[in-house]
Amino acid sequence: MEVQIDSGRCQGHGRCYDIAPAVFGEDAEGYGNVPGDGTVPQGNEREARRAVASCPERAITVTEGA
């Protein structure tokens, strides 16, 4: 599972990194980001999905592995 944040849609609510800090981070201005290549660490899939569902702008995209 991989996640990606559309920086053009993110408004900096911070729900993603509050809910799933092992998956999402924040930049210096408080906007969400995805450290590394976007791969969700094993065992954090549920939190990642919760964070995606909580984003008011729907700025996070999920790609399931093959």
Side-chain angles (χ1 to χ4, degrees):
M1 172 182 200
E2 293 181 1
V3 292
Q4 182 178 30
I5 296 178
D6 179 343
S7 61
R9 295 178 74 179
C10 178
Q11 295 295 308
H13 293 286
R15 293 179 184 177
C16 57
Y17 53 80
D18 284 342
I19 293 171
V23 179
F24 301 97
E26 66 178 305
D27 67 12
E29 296 176 352
Y31 291 92
N33 64 29
V34 181
D37 65 359
T39 300
V40 175
Q42 190 171 16
N44 291 288
E45 295 88 352
R46 182 176 180 192
E47 289 81 10
R49 286 187 180 95
R50 285 184 54 228
V52 170
S54 76
C55 179
E57 282 77 28
R58 302 293 181 234
I60 307 169
T61 304
V62 174
T63 305
E64 298 291 339

